[in-house]
Amino acid sequence: MPSHRTALESRWLALTRQVLPGMAAAEGWPIRLDHCFMRVCLDAAIGRPWHEAVRRPAFRHLTEPQLAAAIAVAERIRTEPDLLPALNRQSLRWRGKLR
């Protein structure tokens, strides 16, 4: 039986590598690549650029609560697709890439 951490990691990868990228074109989202979805979800879960709080690679260094929070953001985007553009803008703003 897989550990709780393994189950979280599997869900995270499924959401950010398959589910959300698979929805991108149909939803007309400004991002399409898995690492972009990871950035948006991690930044939203942590409340700032994730790399300010978590060592790289994030996947290996996130705590279980941080990973669960990022999954919750991804699940919310999956069920409420209109949230993604605003979350992406906020992530870019935190990173100084958008005014």
Side-chain angles (χ1 to χ4, degrees), residues 38-67:
M38 291 176 183
R39 168 187 53 82
V40 169
C41 295
L42 289 170
D43 286 1
I46 292 175
R48 61 185 169 159
W50 67 264
H51 57 81
E52 292 178 358
V54 178
R55 286 186 330 164
R56 296 175 193 262
F59 182 71
R60 298 285 176 229
H61 295 102
L62 290 166
T63 64
E64 281 190 22
Q66 288 170 326
L67 182 54

mmCIF file of all heavy atoms in Angstrom, residues 38-67:
data_model
loop_
_atom_site.group_PDB
_atom_site.id
_atom_site.type_symbol
_atom_site.label_atom_id
_atom_site.label_comp_id
_atom_site.label_asym_id
_atom_site.label_seq_id
_atom_site.Cartn_x
_atom_site.Cartn_y
_atom_site.Cartn_z
ATOM 1 N N MET A 38 2.655 24.143 -12.016
ATOM 2 C CA MET A 38 3.312 23.915 -10.729
ATOM 3 C C MET A 38 3.647 25.240 -10.060
ATOM 4 O O MET A 38 3.391 25.430 -8.869
ATOM 5 C CB MET A 38 4.567 23.065 -10.923
ATOM 6 C CG MET A 38 4.274 21.644 -11.310
ATOM 7 S SD MET A 38 5.811 20.737 -11.622
ATOM 8 C CE MET A 38 5.143 19.155 -12.138
ATOM 9 N N ARG A 39 4.199 26.179 -10.815
ATOM 10 C CA ARG A 39 4.540 27.506 -10.286
ATOM 11 C C ARG A 39 3.322 28.191 -9.708
ATOM 12 O O ARG A 39 3.326 28.666 -8.565
ATOM 13 C CB ARG A 39 5.162 28.381 -11.385
ATOM 14 C CG ARG A 39 5.285 29.856 -10.999
ATOM 15 C CD ARG A 39 5.751 30.733 -12.151
ATOM 16 N NE ARG A 39 4.993 30.640 -13.382
ATOM 17 C CZ ARG A 39 3.846 31.282 -13.636
ATOM 18 N NH1 ARG A 39 3.275 32.035 -12.710
ATOM 19 N NH2 ARG A 39 3.257 31.147 -14.806
ATOM 20 N N VAL A 40 2.243 28.242 -10.482
ATOM 21 C CA VAL A 40 1.026 28.926 -10.047
ATOM 22 C C VAL A 40 0.465 28.291 -8.779
ATOM 23 O O VAL A 40 0.143 28.987 -7.810
ATOM 24 C CB VAL A 40 -0.026 28.932 -11.174
ATOM 25 C CG1 VAL A 40 -1.382 29.389 -10.664
ATOM 26 C CG2 VAL A 40 0.436 29.814 -12.325
ATOM 27 N N CYS A 41 0.343 26.987 -8.766
ATOM 28 C CA CYS A 41 -0.239 26.293 -7.608
ATOM 29 C C CYS A 41 0.641 26.407 -6.379
ATOM 30 O O CYS A 41 0.144 26.647 -5.265
ATOM 31 C CB CYS A 41 -0.495 24.833 -7.941
ATOM 32 S SG CYS A 41 -1.750 24.597 -9.221
ATOM 33 N N LEU A 42 1.940 26.249 -6.545
ATOM 34 C CA LEU A 42 2.848 26.356 -5.402
ATOM 35 C C LEU A 42 2.872 27.775 -4.849
ATOM 36 O O LEU A 42 2.826 27.975 -3.636
ATOM 37 C CB LEU A 42 4.250 25.903 -5.792
ATOM 38 C CG LEU A 42 4.422 24.413 -6.027
ATOM 39 C CD1 LEU A 42 5.775 24.121 -6.647
ATOM 40 C CD2 LEU A 42 4.229 23.634 -4.741
ATOM 41 N N ASP A 43 2.959 28.768 -5.726
ATOM 42 C CA ASP A 43 2.960 30.157 -5.262
ATOM 43 C C ASP A 43 1.674 30.470 -4.501
ATOM 44 O O ASP A 43 1.713 31.081 -3.430
ATOM 45 C CB ASP A 43 3.116 31.132 -6.426
ATOM 46 C CG ASP A 43 4.523 31.191 -6.999
ATOM 47 O OD1 ASP A 43 5.420 30.466 -6.515
ATOM 48 O OD2 ASP A 43 4.721 31.966 -7.953
ATOM 49 N N ALA A 44 0.547 30.053 -5.030
ATOM 50 C CA ALA A 44 -0.737 30.315 -4.371
ATOM 51 C C ALA A 44 -0.821 29.603 -3.023
ATOM 52 O O ALA A 44 -1.302 30.169 -2.043
ATOM 53 C CB ALA A 44 -1.896 29.888 -5.275
ATOM 54 N N ALA A 45 -0.324 28.385 -2.963
ATOM 55 C CA ALA A 45 -0.380 27.617 -1.715
ATOM 56 C C ALA A 45 0.525 28.218 -0.646
ATOM 57 O O ALA A 45 0.179 28.237 0.535
ATOM 58 C CB ALA A 45 0.009 26.164 -1.982
ATOM 59 N N ILE A 46 1.671 28.738 -1.060
ATOM 60 C CA ILE A 46 2.660 29.258 -0.115
ATOM 61 C C ILE A 46 2.446 30.751 0.154
ATOM 62 O O ILE A 46 2.843 31.263 1.189
ATOM 63 C CB ILE A 46 4.075 28.920 -0.621
ATOM 64 C CG1 ILE A 46 4.249 27.399 -0.534
ATOM 65 C CG2 ILE A 46 5.154 29.658 0.147
ATOM 66 C CD1 ILE A 46 5.512 26.846 -1.073
ATOM 67 N N GLY A 47 1.822 31.448 -0.802
ATOM 68 C CA GLY A 47 1.525 32.865 -0.609
ATOM 69 C C GLY A 47 2.627 33.808 -1.036
ATOM 70 O O GLY A 47 2.626 34.985 -0.685
ATOM 71 N N ARG A 48 3.549 33.296 -1.809
ATOM 72 C CA ARG A 48 4.667 34.069 -2.365
ATOM 73 C C ARG A 48 5.409 33.137 -3.315
ATOM 74 O O ARG A 48 5.064 31.965 -3.415
ATOM 75 C CB ARG A 48 5.584 34.578 -1.260
ATOM 76 C CG ARG A 48 6.218 33.463 -0.444
ATOM 77 C CD ARG A 48 7.024 34.013 0.699
ATOM 78 N NE ARG A 48 7.381 32.921 1.592
ATOM 79 C CZ ARG A 48 8.376 32.976 2.448
ATOM 80 N NH1 ARG A 48 9.106 34.057 2.552
ATOM 81 N NH2 ARG A 48 8.640 31.951 3.217
ATOM 82 N N PRO A 49 6.430 33.635 -4.016
ATOM 83 C CA PRO A 49 7.174 32.716 -4.879
ATOM 84 C C PRO A 49 7.666 31.521 -4.052
ATOM 85 O O PRO A 49 8.339 31.697 -3.031
ATOM 86 C CB PRO A 49 8.330 33.560 -5.401
ATOM 87 C CG PRO A 49 7.784 34.958 -5.397
ATOM 88 C CD PRO A 49 6.930 35.020 -4.154
ATOM 89 N N TRP A 50 7.295 30.345 -4.482
ATOM 90 C CA TRP A 50 7.564 29.147 -3.683
ATOM 91 C C TRP A 50 9.030 28.975 -3.340
ATOM 92 O O TRP A 50 9.379 28.502 -2.270
ATOM 93 C CB TRP A 50 7.010 27.894 -4.362
ATOM 94 C CG TRP A 50 7.695 27.524 -5.649
ATOM 95 C CD1 TRP A 50 7.280 27.850 -6.911
ATOM 96 C CD2 TRP A 50 8.908 26.783 -5.800
ATOM 97 N NE1 TRP A 50 8.174 27.362 -7.832
ATOM 98 C CE2 TRP A 50 9.174 26.706 -7.176
ATOM 99 C CE3 TRP A 50 9.789 26.186 -4.906
ATOM 100 C CZ2 TRP A 50 10.299 26.048 -7.678
ATOM 101 C CZ3 TRP A 50 10.906 25.539 -5.409
ATOM 102 C CH2 TRP A 50 11.148 25.465 -6.782
ATOM 103 N N HIS A 51 9.915 29.382 -4.250
ATOM 104 C CA HIS A 51 11.344 29.152 -4.038
ATOM 105 C C HIS A 51 11.920 30.022 -2.923
ATOM 106 O O HIS A 51 13.047 29.793 -2.483
ATOM 107 C CB HIS A 51 12.123 29.345 -5.342
ATOM 108 C CG HIS A 51 11.936 30.681 -5.963
ATOM 109 N ND1 HIS A 51 12.621 31.796 -5.553
ATOM 110 C CD2 HIS A 51 11.095 31.082 -6.934
ATOM 111 C CE1 HIS A 51 12.222 32.840 -6.272
ATOM 112 N NE2 HIS A 51 11.296 32.423 -7.112
ATOM 113 N N GLU A 52 11.136 30.989 -2.420
ATOM 114 C CA GLU A 52 11.569 31.769 -1.264
ATOM 115 C C GLU A 52 11.363 30.985 0.035
ATOM 116 O O GLU A 52 11.918 31.341 1.069
ATOM 117 C CB GLU A 52 10.799 33.087 -1.194
ATOM 118 C CG GLU A 52 11.139 34.041 -2.312
ATOM 119 C CD GLU A 52 10.326 35.325 -2.255
ATOM 120 O OE1 GLU A 52 9.464 35.476 -1.357
ATOM 121 O OE2 GLU A 52 10.559 36.183 -3.116
ATOM 122 N N ALA A 53 10.547 29.940 -0.012
ATOM 123 C CA ALA A 53 10.208 29.179 1.192
ATOM 124 C C ALA A 53 10.633 27.715 1.126
ATOM 125 O O ALA A 53 10.724 27.060 2.162
ATOM 126 C CB ALA A 53 8.699 29.248 1.429
ATOM 127 N N VAL A 54 10.884 27.215 -0.081
ATOM 128 C CA VAL A 54 11.163 25.789 -0.265
ATOM 129 C C VAL A 54 12.399 25.641 -1.151
ATOM 130 O O VAL A 54 12.504 26.311 -2.185
ATOM 131 C CB VAL A 54 9.956 25.090 -0.945
ATOM 132 C CG1 VAL A 54 10.245 23.621 -1.196
ATOM 133 C CG2 VAL A 54 8.701 25.262 -0.114
ATOM 134 N N ARG A 55 13.298 24.756 -0.744
ATOM 135 C CA ARG A 55 14.480 24.499 -1.574
ATOM 136 C C ARG A 55 14.083 23.810 -2.872
ATOM 137 O O ARG A 55 13.060 23.125 -2.929
ATOM 138 C CB ARG A 55 15.462 23.590 -0.828
ATOM 139 C CG ARG A 55 16.199 24.283 0.272
ATOM 140 C CD ARG A 55 17.260 23.414 0.895
ATOM 141 N NE ARG A 55 16.914 21.988 0.838
ATOM 142 C CZ ARG A 55 17.765 21.003 1.021
ATOM 143 N NH1 ARG A 55 19.008 21.244 1.292
ATOM 144 N NH2 ARG A 55 17.375 19.748 0.958
ATOM 145 N N ARG A 56 14.909 23.987 -3.865
ATOM 146 C CA ARG A 56 14.707 23.304 -5.138
ATOM 147 C C ARG A 56 15.322 21.910 -5.071
ATOM 148 O O ARG A 56 16.331 21.757 -4.386
ATOM 149 C CB ARG A 56 15.377 24.092 -6.277
ATOM 150 C CG ARG A 56 14.759 25.448 -6.493
ATOM 151 C CD ARG A 56 15.558 26.213 -7.562
ATOM 152 N NE ARG A 56 15.189 27.598 -7.588
ATOM 153 C CZ ARG A 56 14.317 28.140 -8.439
ATOM 154 N NH1 ARG A 56 13.744 27.383 -9.339
ATOM 155 N NH2 ARG A 56 14.039 29.412 -8.400
ATOM 156 N N PRO A 57 14.765 20.949 -5.731
ATOM 157 C CA PRO A 57 13.478 20.953 -6.415
ATOM 158 C C PRO A 57 12.327 20.866 -5.405
ATOM 159 O O PRO A 57 12.388 20.101 -4.433
ATOM 160 C CB PRO A 57 13.523 19.712 -7.305
ATOM 161 C CG PRO A 57 14.456 18.776 -6.606
ATOM 162 C CD PRO A 57 15.457 19.648 -5.864
ATOM 163 N N ALA A 58 11.315 21.652 -5.635
ATOM 164 C CA ALA A 58 10.180 21.746 -4.715
ATOM 165 C C ALA A 58 9.568 20.384 -4.436
ATOM 166 O O ALA A 58 9.245 20.061 -3.295
ATOM 167 C CB ALA A 58 9.123 22.694 -5.273
ATOM 168 N N PHE A 59 9.415 19.607 -5.469
ATOM 169 C CA PHE A 59 8.780 18.290 -5.362
ATOM 170 C C PHE A 59 9.393 17.453 -4.234
ATOM 171 O O PHE A 59 8.692 16.764 -3.516
ATOM 172 C CB PHE A 59 8.922 17.584 -6.718
ATOM 173 C CG PHE A 59 8.292 16.241 -6.789
ATOM 174 C CD1 PHE A 59 6.916 16.114 -6.792
ATOM 175 C CD2 PHE A 59 9.062 15.108 -6.866
ATOM 176 C CE1 PHE A 59 6.323 14.871 -6.862
ATOM 177 C CE2 PHE A 59 8.483 13.858 -6.947
ATOM 178 C CZ PHE A 59 7.102 13.749 -6.942
ATOM 179 N N ARG A 60 10.686 17.548 -4.056
ATOM 180 C CA ARG A 60 11.392 16.748 -3.049
ATOM 181 C C ARG A 60 11.425 17.419 -1.671
ATOM 182 O O ARG A 60 11.635 16.742 -0.674
ATOM 183 C CB ARG A 60 12.831 16.480 -3.494
ATOM 184 C CG ARG A 60 12.908 15.684 -4.763
ATOM 185 C CD ARG A 60 12.576 14.234 -4.502
ATOM 186 N NE ARG A 60 12.558 13.516 -5.761
ATOM 187 C CZ ARG A 60 11.581 12.709 -6.127
ATOM 188 N NH1 ARG A 60 10.566 12.491 -5.346
ATOM 189 N NH2 ARG A 60 11.620 12.098 -7.281
ATOM 190 N N HIS A 61 11.253 18.736 -1.611
ATOM 191 C CA HIS A 61 11.448 19.457 -0.359
ATOM 192 C C HIS A 61 10.180 20.024 0.268
ATOM 193 O O HIS A 61 10.236 20.557 1.378
ATOM 194 C CB HIS A 61 12.482 20.567 -0.570
ATOM 195 C CG HIS A 61 13.831 20.027 -0.894
ATOM 196 N ND1 HIS A 61 14.333 20.018 -2.171
ATOM 197 C CD2 HIS A 61 14.766 19.423 -0.120
ATOM 198 C CE1 HIS A 61 15.527 19.451 -2.165
ATOM 199 N NE2 HIS A 61 15.813 19.076 -0.946
ATOM 200 N N LEU A 62 9.066 19.939 -0.404
ATOM 201 C CA LEU A 62 7.804 20.390 0.190
ATOM 202 C C LEU A 62 7.456 19.518 1.386
ATOM 203 O O LEU A 62 7.664 18.304 1.345
ATOM 204 C CB LEU A 62 6.661 20.283 -0.820
ATOM 205 C CG LEU A 62 6.656 21.237 -1.994
ATOM 206 C CD1 LEU A 62 5.657 20.752 -3.047
ATOM 207 C CD2 LEU A 62 6.311 22.644 -1.543
ATOM 208 N N THR A 63 6.902 20.130 2.414
ATOM 209 C CA THR A 63 6.351 19.334 3.505
ATOM 210 C C THR A 63 5.033 18.736 3.012
ATOM 211 O O THR A 63 4.458 19.208 2.018
ATOM 212 C CB THR A 63 6.076 20.203 4.736
ATOM 213 O OG1 THR A 63 5.061 21.166 4.406
ATOM 214 C CG2 THR A 63 7.342 20.906 5.223
ATOM 215 N N GLU A 64 4.534 17.737 3.699
ATOM 216 C CA GLU A 64 3.235 17.172 3.302
ATOM 217 C C GLU A 64 2.128 18.219 3.358
ATOM 218 O O GLU A 64 1.316 18.282 2.435
ATOM 219 C CB GLU A 64 2.890 15.945 4.144
ATOM 220 C CG GLU A 64 3.626 14.715 3.680
ATOM 221 C CD GLU A 64 3.145 13.425 4.328
ATOM 222 O OE1 GLU A 64 2.001 13.375 4.828
ATOM 223 O OE2 GLU A 64 3.924 12.461 4.318
ATOM 224 N N PRO A 65 2.066 19.072 4.399
ATOM 225 C CA PRO A 65 1.023 20.108 4.394
ATOM 226 C C PRO A 65 1.161 21.085 3.215
ATOM 227 O O PRO A 65 0.161 21.508 2.639
ATOM 228 C CB PRO A 65 1.213 20.822 5.733
ATOM 229 C CG PRO A 65 1.836 19.795 6.618
ATOM 230 C CD PRO A 65 2.747 19.003 5.708
ATOM 231 N N GLN A 66 2.385 21.444 2.842
ATOM 232 C CA GLN A 66 2.578 22.333 1.685
ATOM 233 C C GLN A 66 2.127 21.642 0.405
ATOM 234 O O GLN A 66 1.467 22.260 -0.440
ATOM 235 C CB GLN A 66 4.048 22.743 1.558
ATOM 236 C CG GLN A 66 4.518 23.712 2.603
ATOM 237 C CD GLN A 66 6.026 23.891 2.585
ATOM 238 O OE1 GLN A 66 6.795 22.972 2.297
ATOM 239 N NE2 GLN A 66 6.462 25.108 2.910
ATOM 240 N N LEU A 67 2.478 20.391 0.258
ATOM 241 C CA LEU A 67 2.076 19.640 -0.923
ATOM 242 C C LEU A 67 0.557 19.500 -0.972
ATOM 243 O O LEU A 67 -0.060 19.695 -2.028
ATOM 244 C CB LEU A 67 2.753 18.266 -0.938
ATOM 245 C CG LEU A 67 2.481 17.370 -2.142
ATOM 246 C CD1 LEU A 67 2.800 18.063 -3.459
ATOM 247 C CD2 LEU A 67 3.286 16.070 -2.006
#
